Amino acid sequence: MTTKKEKRETSTESTSSTQSTRTKSSSSKKEKSSKSKSSNPPLLQLAEQAADRFFTTKNCEESYTNKQLVSDVLESMEVLEKFLDYWTLKHFFVPMLIYVDRYVAQVGKLGPVHIFDILCVACVVTVKVWEDKWITNTTFAKMFAITKEELNINERNFLNALDYDLSVTNEEVLEFLSST
């Protein structure tokens, strides 16, 4: 059985190897996306905010600190950022975090073991809602090194908790960005 950290490392390696096999056109996409500045706050700042708003170290070993929590959230966000950047969808990061915020409002703060799972499923749902590119759960599962069945269950639970309300207004985005 693989740990969450191994899954993230495998996912990062998978994304890297997949990226290296892409054609020249994806290389020019990467160059274009890296040249353009993102309007998203720096990833560390988002990770700190997400660790504080969405996750808790309560019920964890005493040695597990908030600093470790932020590090784990940042590590998961880096994997998702690479995925979104690869598909030129980095601008979906804020809506993704808005969905996580709604989820946590319904179910309460989550423990560290759920960091990657919740961020991953929020990313999947965000891409499916906001992007015209068709990316299957099989592809998501391979890229994130999880089973398709696990992803399907997580997605269903996530959508049920959100009551399938996936609309995001400009005001919500601005409010979220102003709180970072």
Side-chain angles (χ1 to χ4, degrees):
M1 181 172 214
T2 59
T3 65
K4 298 292 178 192
K5 189 169 187 168
E6 289 169 335
K7 285 182 181 180
R8 288 190 298 268
E9 288 169 359
T10 304
S11 174
T12 304
E13 291 168 9
S14 171
T15 302
S16 297
S17 66
T18 305
Q19 284 177 336
S20 65
T21 61
R22 293 285 178 173
T23 62
K24 277 186 175 180
S25 64
S26 67
S27 297
S28 63
K29 280 184 192 175
K30 271 201 263 182
E31 288 171 14
K32 190 191 312 181
S33 69
S34 66
K35 288 179 185 175
S36 65
K37 297 281 183 181
S38 172
S39 62
N40 290 340
L43 201 56
L44 177 59
Q45 186 180 358
L46 283 175
E48 289 169 345
Q49 179 187 10
D52 183 52
R53 288 172 74 161
F54 309 144
F55 304 103
T56 182
T57 56
K58 208 178 204 180
N59 302 326
C60 292
E61 295 177 16
E62 282 185 35
S63 61
Y64 192 83
T65 64
N66 279 340
K67 184 176 180 178
Q68 181 62 43
L69 180 66
V70 170
S71 175
D72 289 347
V73 171
L74 180 61
E75 186 179 339
S76 292
M77 286 182 154
E78 286 171 342
V79 169
L80 296 172
E81 181 183 47
K82 285 178 185 176
F83 170 81
L84 291 171
D85 191 40
Y86 175 77
W87 291 93
T88 63
L89 304 172
K90 207 168 178 178
H91 54 284
F92 287 166
F93 223 86
V94 171
M96 178 186 85
L97 293 176
I98 289 171
Y99 291 151
V100 175
D101 198 34
R102 289 180 189 172
Y103 181 83
V104 169
Q106 292 299 315
V107 302
K109 286 188 172 188
L110 305 166
V113 297
H114 302 291
I115 292 170
F116 186 74
D117 289 340
I118 196 65
L119 293 174
C120 176
V121 76
C123 178
V124 168
V125 167
T126 303
V127 169
K128 286 181 174 185
V129 169
W130 295 100
E131 181 53 43
D132 289 335
K133 293 176 188 171
W134 191 41
I135 307 171
T136 66
N137 275 10
T138 303
T139 302
F140 284 119
K142 285 179 185 173
M143 295 202 73
F144 294 133
I146 60 176
T147 67
K148 187 174 85 168
E149 292 75 21
E150 181 182 6
L151 180 59
N152 289 341
I153 291 167
N154 288 345
E155 185 178 7
R156 224 178 353 263
N157 292 338
F158 187 80
L159 290 168
N160 283 327
L162 295 180
D163 198 26
Y164 289 81
D165 179 10
L166 300 173
S167 62
V168 176
T169 65
N170 288 339
E171 292 78 22
E172 286 176 298
V173 172
L174 293 173
E175 183 181 325
F176 185 87
L177 289 174
S178 69
S179 68
T180 58

